[in-house]
Amino acid sequence: MKLGACWYPEQHPESRWGDDVRRMSAAGLTLVRLGEFAWAALEPAPGEMDLAWLARAIDMAAEAGLGVVLGTPSAAPPRWLIRSHPEIRLVDVDGSPRAAGSRRMTCPTAPVYRESSARMARALVERFGHHPGVVAWQIDNEPGNHDSARCWCPACETAFRAWVAARYGELARLNDAWGTAFWSGQYGSWDELELPRRSSTVQSPSLLLAHRRFASHQVVSGLAEQRAIIAAGSAGRDILVNTYWDDTFVDARDVHEPAGIAAIDAYPHGVDGPEANAYLLDLARGSAGPSGRAWVMEQQPGPINWTALNPPVPPGQVRAWGWQAALHGMEASLFFSWRPTRSGQEQYHSGLVRHDGTDDRGLIEAAVLARELRAVADSAPEMLARPRARIAILHAYEDAWAIEIDPHQAGLTHRSLVQPVHAAVHRLGLDADILGPRDDLTGHTVVIAPALHLMSEDRLRRLREAIAAGALVILGPRSLVKDLDDCWLETPLPGGLAATLGAHVVESLSQTLPVTVVPGDAAAGPWTDVLEVDVADDDPEPVEVLARYGGPSYLAGSIAALRRGDLAYVGASSAEAWSTILAPLLIGRGLAVLPARVGVERFERGGRRIVLDHVALTIKGSPELDPGAA
Ligand code: GAL
């Protein structure tokens, strides 16, 4: 894994630049990202490009031996552009346009914004597309972040109407698909189809889901315009887009897959602990498509400024985060940022060096990490090659949107259902690949779909293909419950697979009772499905009950998990319940289960076992990794 830093020469005096890049290089960093917020410095007035300073910065970085990742600045357009074309401002649901002075305040549909972004990309690629120091590109910055994919402006409303009309054709079909008879919601003409504005209570989930799809599509198509421009003028370089790792504003798979490489921004203090980090790193790899290539484009270097508490980062933590990224198969990791600024919105955000330019602990640990990674790359490169896992976990942004729209329990998210399954697999000492709805599922021994909420013929076909190829398929609670328009199925659940399962779901519960899973006594988790068997005991393919619910409630003794042949259903949702139920199933499929303590990750890489302890902040398992040797 290569290391780098995010660098903002336009925010610091030029007299510092040379020293900055030489120190990066001396610390063992080999990549530097720049430019992604510099639009106003690059185009200070309409039609007036100033690329000379950027050329000097790129040259200096290249001379210091750094590979430059050049960003296109569409996340932060200049004030003059917003002033002369106020229609490019994003309009929030309450009707107020976002003001200049921040970032991600633009409408993803606005033609002037899209054309201006394309113009900047063209100017940059014409000048730097063949620069030997430019090794990769970054388009935009965290598209969708700050809830910037959905816009309620007139241009978006017109585009949304056209998008829906193209998808459904006939109004009658739309009314039927969305079940608009509920609360007199029928559309009598296309003009009546409005963006989901605030009303007395929530809008139709079908409309809301369509709006999420449309918003994501608008963002992705804008990124594709920039990508085409860069690809045409800078052959042979990766073109990445950095998404915030936990965002669901856009379908990150649609963002990354066309490039065959993903990039995420990893801020562990923004999520809940090492298991979340592990999950999100694997999700990044999975969202690149079959290549599984991913970078961490921004890595937390120390305390940050935007969570509720912004806690301290203890010694050893930055190095441990780096190792975690490397062992999850990231190709590069760039720290955000090199040096904090004296001004602006992020003054409390640490960097690798301090405000006064002296080395911060982040830089010292980055240098240790760089040395260790180099040593491993020389002596045992196979340790950093992420092997294909034998377990696949299914993830889909459309399911995430449907669950966010109608969670049934406040705060419940797709991640809170899928991450526990990833954690359970990891706690059993195994890796998991996270695959998307378009991926081929036939290459894994076990395929788990923890929250495959929406049902489609295509999804069913892929699951059946996995079973036909010899995999065990395991569904989780609320799987195959609704159609692609977010309307509940009127067939036995799991929709389309109940007959194969020989069982069906009788209760889908937002769980508030003290329910456990037996065997064991793990809490069942926030979502629990109760199952009932449909086939007789003497059926040629009988149903095996794997677990029942326990605890002092009416649910005691009812079925929590079962299996019939190569299809299983787990109704519980906590990591502990999943671990208990999964262990025998995985052993039954020939997987070497080796339970690890929570807080410890174990990796089998190149015939070695590496243990990353997130509590003690140690990495053990091979001489090269001994902290003392570094
Ligand atoms: C990221 C963003 C960076 C910076 C960073 C602070 O989400 O891409 O530009 O704001 O957060 O942690």
Side-chain angles (χ1 to χ4, degrees), residues 120-392:
M120 277 311 301
R122 212 168 287 117
L124 289 171
V125 82
E126 273 167 13
R127 177 78 181 256
F128 303 111
H130 301 291
H131 192 296
V134 173
V135 299
W137 292 80
Q138 174 185 302
I139 295 172
D140 203 69
N141 191 80
E142 295 189 343
N145 192 243
H146 307 315
D147 198 357
S148 62
R150 288 176 297 177
C151 167
W152 277 261
C153 78
C156 281
E157 187 148 70
T158 306
F160 178 60
R161 222 170 262 145
W163 182 88
V164 174
R167 224 175 143 98
Y168 293 87
E170 301 284 311
L171 210 50
R173 212 178 131 224
L174 178 73
N175 279 318
D176 182 49
W178 290 7
T180 51
F182 192 80
W183 289 353
S184 284
Q186 288 94 335
Y187 295 103
S189 72
W190 286 108
D191 293 351
E192 289 174 3
L193 178 64
E194 295 178 356
L195 292 170
R197 298 214 163 71
R198 189 167 290 153
S199 190
S200 35
T201 181
V202 282
Q203 291 278 6
S204 148
S206 301
L207 169 65
L208 292 169
L209 182 58
H211 189 222
R212 297 294 300 260
R213 286 194 176 108
F214 163 77
S216 181
H217 170 268
Q218 294 304 92
V219 171
V220 168
S221 61
L223 296 170
E225 287 167 9
Q226 291 198 49
R227 184 182 289 121
I229 292 166
I230 304 289
S234 192
R237 275 96 169 164
D238 283 317
I239 306 170
L240 304 108
V241 178
N242 61 329
T243 48
Y244 177 66
W245 62 350
D246 191 30
D247 272 356
T248 58
F249 297 114
V250 296
D251 185 326
R253 216 166 257 114
D254 288 346
V255 171
H256 301 308
E257 217 176 58
I261 183 165
I264 49 156
D265 294 346
Y267 290 91
H269 280 186
V271 294
D272 41 357
E275 289 188 330
N277 305 349
Y279 167 69
L280 293 166
L281 290 165
D282 283 351
L283 178 61
R285 291 179 55 255
S287 60
S291 77
R293 295 185 61 205
W295 288 23
V296 174
M297 192 63 93
E298 296 179 15
Q299 172 69 54
Q300 182 172 341
I304 55 175
N305 68 316
W306 49 264
T307 69
L309 295 174
N310 300 311
V313 171
Q317 181 66 85
V318 168
R319 169 176 172 262
W321 283 334
W323 269 109
Q324 190 181 25
L327 290 163
H328 278 271
M330 299 293 116
E331 287 182 10
S333 178
L334 290 79
F335 293 95
F336 179 93
S337 64
W338 171 249
R339 180 175 180 153
T341 45
R342 54 174 280 272
S343 61
Q345 285 89 325
E346 297 185 332
Q347 295 175 44
Y348 270 108
H349 199 295
S350 62
L352 290 180
V353 302
R354 301 190 183 93
H355 284 89
D356 66 4
T358 54
D359 294 1
D360 208 339
R361 196 162 57 233
L363 183 61
I364 297 163
E365 292 191 23
V368 170
L369 181 63
R371 271 202 304 280
E372 291 174 333
L373 288 169
R374 245 192 339 263
V376 171
D378 290 345
S379 60
E382 65 284 359
M383 273 177 51
L384 296 176
R386 168 74 196 236
R388 180 174 197 146
R390 295 191 51 200
I391 300 171

Side-chain angles (χ1 to χ4, degrees), residues 412-477:
L412 199 85
T413 61
H414 187 249
R415 176 156 77 79
S416 63
L417 294 165
V418 181
Q419 187 192 305
V421 177
H422 183 269
V425 169
H426 234 47
R427 289 181 196 177
L428 296 171
L430 295 161
D431 287 321
D433 290 333
I434 299 183
L435 301 185
R438 293 186 291 268
D439 291 330
D440 174 17
L441 306 180
T442 60
H444 290 79
T445 309
V446 176
V447 174
I448 312 176
L452 191 67
H453 203 47
L454 305 178
M455 191 275 259
S456 71
E457 284 309 316
D458 187 56
R459 287 175 167 204
L460 290 178
R461 180 177 57 76
R462 283 170 204 278
L463 293 174
R464 290 201 184 101
E465 282 170 3
I467 292 175
L472 171 67
V473 169
I474 309 173
L475 302 173

